Amino acid sequence: MKQVKFLIITALLIFTAALTGCGSADNADSKKVAICFPNTTPSWQRNSAALQDQLSADGFTVDVKSSATVEEQQQQIKDALQAKPNCMVIGAIDSAALVDVLENAKTYNVPIIAFDRIILNTDALSYYASFDNDAIGEAQALYFEAALNLRNGGGPYNIEFFAGGAADNNAHIFFNTVKEMLNPYLKNGQLVCRSGQTDFNSASVKDWQSENARPRIRELLTQYYSGETLHVVLAPNDEIAGVILDEIQKAGKPVPLISGLDGDPKAFERIRNGQQTFTIAKDPDVLTAKCVRMIKAVVEGVQPDINDVKTYNNGVKIVPAYLCTPQIVDKTNVQNF
């Protein structure tokens, strides 16, 4: 009798453990997140690691994939979707190159969040988390406008334009915003672009690689500023600003007013030293924290916080977005960074 009782109790314990194990597996299976980011810059790698750390600490199973090329990212997204995650976060290498692969996301009913860069021409995109790119362009233009006293007739000043990589939709947005706001001063002669290279394609730095800006600034200085002063440079990020300043200083030219973007520590140092005029700081902790909250809401089946439902038309749909606020950093507040 005791032996029978022992066997019954043992069976019940095994059954209970099995049920507990199944519950844990189901819970884990309901909290699977795939992250597909580039590994092309340190900032992408930091953002990926930050998302993974925060999500893992909250009990999520996180599959992180990093890629160096568009083709590699396409394949990695296909592979990640096979596991049917509850949410996928993508930092696109090329904003327009993921249309076909994201058809699989619709098949598997996987919500997609675009991180920092919008994904174009697909209705598979659920949400977008980024900084306000229009606000970035406005801030750059308004800073130059005030510093040069353009509203009160200041000038003429010579200006040259640099833009980010063509595959990044963000680069187009803030460049076009700057250009639109500065166009009246270009038209009336308060600003003069001696090279005439004011369109995005002429100004674009291939793949955002800062060294790709070096031959162009050398050529501009040689051809158009051998006997003229370059007063203003629109630089699309801090790394490119650093390369431009390096070439200007090597040429023995005066340091111009020059913008930046990202809030790179090296840019803060240049601002302290009176070289770079300002940067637009995009605090990565703010964006990753917001994206984590968005992921949690999506996985839980609730509406995430959204503060923009009209700006980002990706060519197929208006993508609901949360846009974080960037901050201008110049000599007046750089001591805080």
Side-chain angles (χ1 to χ4, degrees):
M1 182 68 181
K2 288 182 179 179
Q3 185 177 7
V4 172
K5 187 175 181 180
F6 173 78
L7 290 173
I8 292 172
I9 292 172
T10 303
L12 285 171
L13 289 172
I14 293 170
F15 180 68
T16 302
L19 285 177
T20 304
C22 287
S24 299
D26 289 344
N27 186 53
D29 285 345
S30 68
K31 297 182 71 173
K32 294 192 300 184
V33 177
I35 298 172
C36 297
F37 276 15
N39 59 14
T40 50
T41 65
S43 61
W44 278 115
Q45 295 168 28
R46 285 194 299 268
N47 289 335
S48 175
L51 284 174
Q52 182 179 21
D53 290 346
Q54 292 181 47
L55 290 167
S56 297
D58 287 334
F60 286 79
T61 301
V62 187
D63 178 19
V64 176
K65 298 184 183 298
S66 60
S67 50
T69 66
V70 172
E71 294 75 18
E72 186 179 13
Q73 185 169 62
Q74 289 170 334
Q75 186 59 52
Q76 287 181 351
I77 292 172
K78 287 181 183 178
D79 294 342
L81 285 170
Q82 293 291 323
K84 299 182 182 178
N86 304 104
C87 182
M88 175 177 281
V89 185
I90 299 175
I93 293 178
D94 186 331
S95 297
L98 300 178
V99 178
D100 293 338
V101 70
L102 289 186
E103 285 297 310
N104 290 330
K106 292 165 59 180
T107 301
Y108 295 126
N109 196 30
V110 176
I112 303 294
I113 298 173
F115 185 94
D116 196 40
R117 295 178 180 175
I118 194 76
I119 301 172
L120 299 175
N121 304 321
T122 176
D123 61 356
L125 184 58
S126 304
Y127 300 104
Y128 177 43
S130 185
F131 283 87
D132 189 334
N133 292 294
D134 274 322
I136 290 169
E138 289 175 6
Q140 290 175 328
L142 289 171
Y143 195 101
F144 285 140
E145 185 181 66
L148 300 171
N149 199 28
L150 295 175
R151 286 193 179 184
N152 296 317
Y157 297 105
N158 294 323
I159 184 171
E160 293 295 337
F161 295 88
F162 285 75
D168 180 0
N169 191 61
N170 291 350
H172 294 264
I173 292 172
F174 53 74
F175 180 86
N176 291 339
T177 300
V178 171
K179 271 295 308 302
E180 182 179 355
M181 294 180 67
L182 295 183
N183 263 338
Y185 305 115
L186 288 164
K187 289 180 179 179
N188 70 13
Q190 287 178 259
L191 293 177
V192 178
C193 181
R194 298 183 65 81
S195 72
Q197 298 170 13
T198 61
D199 63 288
F200 182 91
N201 289 337
S202 298
S204 178
V205 176
K206 181 176 173 56
D207 298 329
W208 280 106
Q209 295 300 307
S210 57
E211 284 301 314
N212 290 336
R214 198 176 293 278
R216 180 165 179 258
I217 185 60
R218 285 176 181 167
E219 183 179 354
L220 290 174
L221 293 173
T222 301
Q223 291 194 15
Y224 302 102
Y225 296 95
S226 58
E228 297 285 342
T229 298
L230 176 56
H231 300 105
V232 188
V233 177
L234 175 72
N237 74 1
D238 293 328
E239 289 187 5
I240 292 170
V243 166
I244 292 169
L245 283 167
D246 183 49
E247 288 300 320
I248 287 172
Q249 290 171 319
K250 284 179 180 176
K253 301 288 186 181
V255 174
L257 294 181
I258 184 166
S259 63
L261 176 63
D262 289 337
D264 189 314
K266 291 181 180 178
F268 296 151
E269 188 63 27
R270 289 194 295 267
I271 291 169
R272 292 187 190 99
N273 295 336
Q275 297 171 308
Q276 188 167 327
T277 312
F278 71 100
T279 184
I280 308 291
K282 300 195 303 181
D283 187 339
D285 293 339
V286 171
L287 182 56
T288 53
K290 175 53 63 177
C291 189
V292 166
R293 290 195 291 272
M294 188 178 281
I295 292 165
K296 289 179 179 178
V298 168
V299 172
E300 291 168 6
V302 300
Q303 173 69 42
D305 289 339
I306 296 298
N307 64 5
D308 186 284
V309 291
K310 61 181 182 180
T311 302
Y312 285 91
N313 186 332
N314 74 345
V316 175
K317 62 184 284 189
I318 301 293
V319 182
Y322 191 95
L323 305 177
C324 302
T325 303
Q327 182 178 3
I328 294 175
V329 181
D330 66 2
K331 63 183 179 182
T332 67
N333 64 345
V334 69
Q335 70 275 4
N336 299 326
F337 291 85

